[in-house]
Amino acid sequence: METSQRTVFTFATFVFDPVTGELTNRGRRVPINQQIADLLTLLLENAGTLVTREQIKHALWPDQNYLNHDKILTNAVSRLRYLMGDRSTEQPYIVNIPKRGYRFEAKVQRVAPVGSTNVAPLPAAPTELSAFAAPERRDLPAEKLTPPAEIVLGSAEKSLPGRSLWYGLTACLVLVVASAGWYFVSVHRQVTPQIYVTTVGIPPFQTPNDPASKELAESFRLDLTDSLSDRSHVAVRAAHSLEAFDIGSQDFRQRAIALGLDVLVLGHFQLQQDRCQLDLELVHGSDLSHIITLQYSVPREQIARLRDQVQHELPQQLTGGRSTEAASGVSNDAAYDAYLRAGYHLSQPSPDSMQQALQEYKQAIRLDPGFAKAYSGQARAYFFLQQAGAMPAEESLKLAQESARKALELDPHSAEPHAILGLIAAFHEFHLAEGEKELAQAISIDPNLPFYRQGMALLYCEEGQFTRALAQLDIAHANDPFWVSAYITDAHISGIAGNAARLQQDIAKLRQLAPNAARAADSIANAEWNMGQYTDAIQEWHEMALKEGDHDRAVLEEQGLEAFRRGGVSAYARVRIQAIHDGKGIESHPNDFVLAEWYPVAGERQLALQSIHEAIDRHDTSMLSLAVLPNYSSLRNLPEFTALVKQAGLTLVTTPVAAH
């Protein structure tokens, strides 16, 4: 605010001007949007005293009704901490006062302004969001073109067994690929938060209603996301939160603004005869007003050159010309075309489509043996095929590891291969320490991608480190606050950890974000069962079956509820066991029906121990939950069970839920 005696705030190595909203650290600008600037102003003006959550809400959103003020507020504080590098637990800048608010702890002084860093801002325009407003045109310098290209720049379902993995990892790996837009993004260095200039979101491109355009558009967008994430002045966030919403809808507008992004990149991709046409519109994240439009047109056979041009020009626009890194990647157009088609087919949740993706990745590698991303994609395809039961596990996982290691040989700073190696080590080979090491490496390279955090959270959960697991998900939520898969994982871990308050928040979020999704209902039911809320769980499973139109499963749950009311959990468990033997009502969610999990609940201890022993021998991944899943509670006092837990390489964990 402007006063008669204008001052700026200083703390630690930072200087903040509340009038201009400019934050610097040792003279280097730390660009923040208006929302973060307002939050910082409020905290600094009240340094040393509690600022309540209600005060912050009133100051930041006095007249606006967002989807979830509490979550948005938490995200805003997390983002401010991230930008300031506030990671200390002993002397943090901002202290959380649980359920009340925040207090700025660092020593703050008010001083007279001595100038500000002169950094070129993004161009602004007062116009509202347009459907790719017609740009003024200018020709690019001739040396940037490779004839005959014309580039014009405008100025202005069988899955992992085991409920633990299914409701976390597999929900992301197999289903979210198609429904919620999960994808791997390999990034090539860890960036310093203080030098971020622009936070960017890239929603799915609009395309005409033809399969060829749709096929290439999504893969091109993901590759563009990858490239932007590699730039030291750009932070790409909220990939999943921008999925599945019509750009022209009010819901999209509210969600985009609530995410607090600086810029959204809206795209329209089209194949016209033998040409690729790409229009990109940059809009302000605060109000979706138009910034600039970029238009490109190249022959289809020169699609790699289109990528190079976009990946060179777009960062320049986003950072005011400060992003000078050259775009990298394959120069072979045919190899890149195959790589894009592979990415699209891998996103389709069917074994046939995944097999097609694998062949296209192999084609890309044949055309360019040095194409690191193609090896990384090939590793992903092998991993998915194993998840879908379309390839023998031993063969597919070995080939996935070989491909991931080759990708790292070609590009040692890629995150995705580390993540694949970590997932295989932890969730298939039971080498949790090795898995944690690889996932930690992926996170260190790309701390913003929430999937890596999700994988680490699941690993910590299997080790019984519930606090650390949920802390990883807190970061995932901050980076991508509307990602359904992360809340599925959160509900799963909260249920096992006995965190009733957090589970209720997860359930509310899942009902809000995915009210008609059967997999969300399934995850809620499993979490409620783990919490001991048995009637609620059975009724939720019944609702899930009705949503899916699964008559056999609905009848099974009706029988199960009746049995539960007569004889408790053991009677319900026997209904499950009978269904497994009959093979009826279990087809759509086979991971809900693991004999080793239900025998203990039914009181069949010897059968349970025998089933667990057999599952460990065949390396059944459901056994990773052996030490934490409440269904095994009745076996915890048996030496044979303790020995089996040790044989699986796990440590027995005491869960809050009483024995069934």
Side-chain angles (χ1 to χ4, degrees):
M1 61 181 67
E2 193 70 56
T3 64
S4 57
Q5 184 66 39
R6 180 185 169 198
T7 61
V8 299
F9 296 100
T10 67
F11 59 94
T13 57
F14 292 88
V15 177
F16 176 64
D17 187 334
V19 174
T20 64
E22 184 177 74
L23 176 66
T24 60
N25 181 16
R26 292 187 174 91
R28 173 175 284 177
R29 182 171 178 250
V30 184
I32 55 179
N33 61 29
Q34 188 61 51
Q35 181 188 86
I36 299 299
D38 290 344
L39 172 61
L40 182 57
T41 300
L42 184 61
L43 292 172
L44 292 174
E45 287 179 340
N46 297 276
T49 62
L50 170 69
V51 181
T52 68
R53 295 178 72 87
E54 288 302 319
Q55 286 176 294
I56 298 174
K57 292 176 189 177
H58 180 74
L60 269 60
W61 307 287
D63 303 312
Q64 299 186 44
N65 180 26
Y66 286 108
L67 295 174
N68 186 335
H69 265 123
D70 288 326
K71 179 62 72 174
I72 297 168
L73 189 158
T74 301
N75 290 341
V77 174
S78 297
R79 182 64 182 162
L80 176 57
R81 284 172 166 161
Y82 180 68
L83 289 167
M84 295 190 303
D86 187 4
R87 295 175 176 80
S88 173
T89 56
E90 297 180 357
Q91 293 182 318
Y93 296 137
I94 302 172
V95 173
N96 176 32
I97 311 299
K99 298 183 180 180
R100 297 182 65 193
Y102 301 89
R103 182 175 65 245
F104 200 89
E105 284 286 277
K107 183 179 179 180
V108 178
Q109 293 182 322
R110 293 175 183 258
V111 299
V114 294
S116 61
T117 306
N118 183 18
V119 181
L122 280 165
T127 57
E128 289 298 314
L129 173 67
S130 63
F132 304 104
E136 298 175 5
R137 295 177 179 269
R138 65 176 173 82
D139 291 333
L140 289 173
E143 62 270 18
K144 289 189 176 183
L145 299 180
T146 304
E150 174 194 0
I151 305 178
V152 181
L153 171 65
S155 65
E157 144 160 339
K158 176 181 178 183
S159 309
L160 282 174
R163 291 186 289 122
S164 172
L165 297 181
W166 170 244
Y167 293 105
L169 181 66
T170 312
C172 183
L173 286 179
V174 178
L175 295 181
V176 183
V177 170
S179 61
W182 174 78
Y183 51 87
F184 279 111
V185 180
S186 56
V187 186
H188 304 289
R189 68 181 65 86
Q190 183 175 11
V191 292
T192 306
Q194 288 84 350
I195 63 174
Y196 279 157
V197 170
T198 309
T199 57
V200 180
I202 310 178
F205 289 168
Q206 293 178 310
T207 61
N209 190 25
D210 72 270
S213 294
K214 290 181 181 296
E215 193 171 294
L216 292 184
E218 181 63 3
S219 294
F220 195 96
R221 179 182 76 96
L222 302 186
D223 195 39
L224 178 60
T225 300
D226 182 3
S227 172
L228 289 180
S229 298
D230 191 28
R231 307 308 171 103
S232 57
H233 297 284
V234 178
V236 182
R237 297 181 63 241
H240 307 93
S241 296
L242 292 167
E243 300 281 351
F245 269 72
D246 180 10
I247 289 178
S249 71
Q250 185 63 24
D251 284 340
F252 177 84
R253 179 179 294 271
Q254 289 179 346
R255 177 173 289 196
I257 293 173
L259 289 170
L261 300 169
D262 294 320
V263 177
L264 288 171
V265 179
L266 310 179
H268 186 279
F269 187 99
Q270 183 174 9
L271 293 178
Q272 290 183 315
Q273 296 178 342
D274 62 344
R275 301 190 71 79
C276 292
Q277 178 71 37
L278 175 63
D279 298 336
L280 298 176
E281 181 180 15
L282 277 60
V283 300
H284 289 285
S286 58
D287 58 7
L288 305 192
S289 59
H290 176 74
I291 298 173
I292 195 171
T293 299
L294 312 176
Q295 291 188 328
Y296 303 88
S297 178
V298 299
R300 166 67 184 271
E301 65 270 14
Q302 294 192 358
I303 192 169
R305 288 163 177 76
L306 170 63
R307 177 214 55 196
D308 290 343
Q309 192 62 46
V310 173
Q311 293 182 6
H312 173 76
E313 299 284 354
L314 184 58
Q316 297 289 324
Q317 294 296 331
L318 289 170
T319 64
R322 293 188 301 284
S323 183
T324 57
E325 303 98 324
S328 62
V330 65
S331 58
N332 185 302
D333 290 277
Y336 186 63
D337 189 278
Y339 172 79
L340 291 182
R341 286 186 279 108
Y344 171 80
H345 287 120
L346 196 61
S347 71
Q348 308 305 301
S350 75
D352 288 345
S353 185
M354 293 177 191
Q355 286 284 7
Q356 187 171 353
L358 179 60
Q359 296 308 312
E360 287 162 336
Y361 281 127
K362 289 181 176 180
Q363 181 184 358
I365 291 169
R366 283 195 297 271
L367 292 166
D368 188 336
F371 195 175
K373 287 185 180 180
Y375 280 104
S376 189
Q378 181 173 261
R380 192 188 329 153
Y382 280 127
F383 189 80
F384 279 12
L385 284 165
Q386 182 276 330
Q387 300 285 68
M391 281 187 71
E394 184 176 354
E395 176 189 3
S396 59
L397 293 177
K398 179 182 178 181
L399 292 170
Q401 288 172 317
E402 291 176 355
S403 298
R405 291 180 182 126
K406 181 62 176 181
L408 287 174
E409 177 186 324
L410 294 168
D411 183 358
H413 303 291
S414 179
E416 177 180 9
H418 284 295
I420 293 173
L421 291 172
L423 294 173
I424 294 173
F427 298 112
H428 293 275
E429 297 177 342
F430 291 21
H431 297 157
L432 297 184
E434 181 64 22
E436 181 176 347
K437 176 184 174 182
E438 291 289 354
L439 284 168
Q441 183 65 25
I443 289 172
S444 73
I445 295 171
D446 180 10
N448 292 321
L449 190 64
F451 174 74
Y452 303 152
R453 304 282 184 180
Q454 184 190 43
M456 187 68 87
L458 285 165
L459 188 152
Y460 285 148
C461 177
E462 307 299 11
E463 294 177 332
Q465 300 186 58
F466 303 126
T467 300
R468 296 183 72 185
L470 294 173
Q472 288 293 321
L473 291 173
D474 284 336
I475 300 172
H477 295 324
N479 284 331
D480 222 336
F482 303 112
W483 186 29
V484 171
S485 185
Y487 291 104
I488 287 176
T489 303
D490 205 311
H492 165 71
I493 296 174
S494 295
I496 290 179
N499 191 331
R502 181 149 179 156
L503 176 58
Q504 289 309 307
Q505 293 176 352
D506 292 329
I507 290 174
K509 180 61 74 172
L510 287 169
R511 296 201 193 285
Q512 177 192 48
L513 296 176
N516 300 313
R519 66 189 181 87
D522 204 8
S523 70
I524 291 171
N526 275 278
E528 289 173 334
W529 180 270
N530 289 332
M531 280 290 298
Q533 300 169 8
Y534 304 122
T535 301
D536 291 341
I538 298 169
Q539 291 174 338
E540 189 73 35
W541 273 314
H542 183 259
E543 288 299 313
M544 174 203 72
L546 294 178
K547 288 177 181 178
E548 291 184 315
D550 188 340
H551 175 74
D552 288 343
R553 179 65 184 268
V555 171
L556 186 154
E557 296 302 339
E558 290 167 3
Q559 294 171 346
L561 183 58
E562 182 180 349
F564 173 77
R565 288 169 174 164
R566 290 196 316 267
V569 292
S570 61
Y572 177 82
R574 291 189 183 96
V575 172
R576 286 266 181 150
I577 292 169
Q578 189 61 48
I580 296 171
H581 290 311
D582 294 343
K584 195 169 184 179
I586 70 174
E587 294 85 355
S588 58
H589 296 274
N591 304 277
D592 285 349
F593 298 87
V594 177
L595 277 174
E597 291 181 15
W598 291 104
Y599 274 139
V601 184
E604 300 285 354
R605 290 188 172 190
Q606 289 306 313
L607 288 174
L609 292 171
Q610 179 182 340
S611 296
I612 293 169
H613 191 279
E614 292 171 354
I616 291 175
D617 284 347
R618 65 175 181 268
H619 233 59
D620 190 326
T621 55
S622 68
M623 292 299 98
L624 274 173
S625 299
L626 195 61
V628 297
L629 205 62
N631 273 13
Y632 296 113
S633 296
S634 64
L635 304 177
R636 291 176 180 274
N637 62 341
L638 300 179
E640 298 96 320
F641 179 74
T642 303
L644 287 170
V645 170
K646 186 176 180 180
Q647 181 182 339
L650 303 168
T651 301
L652 196 61
V653 175
T654 301
T655 58
V657 180
H660 293 309

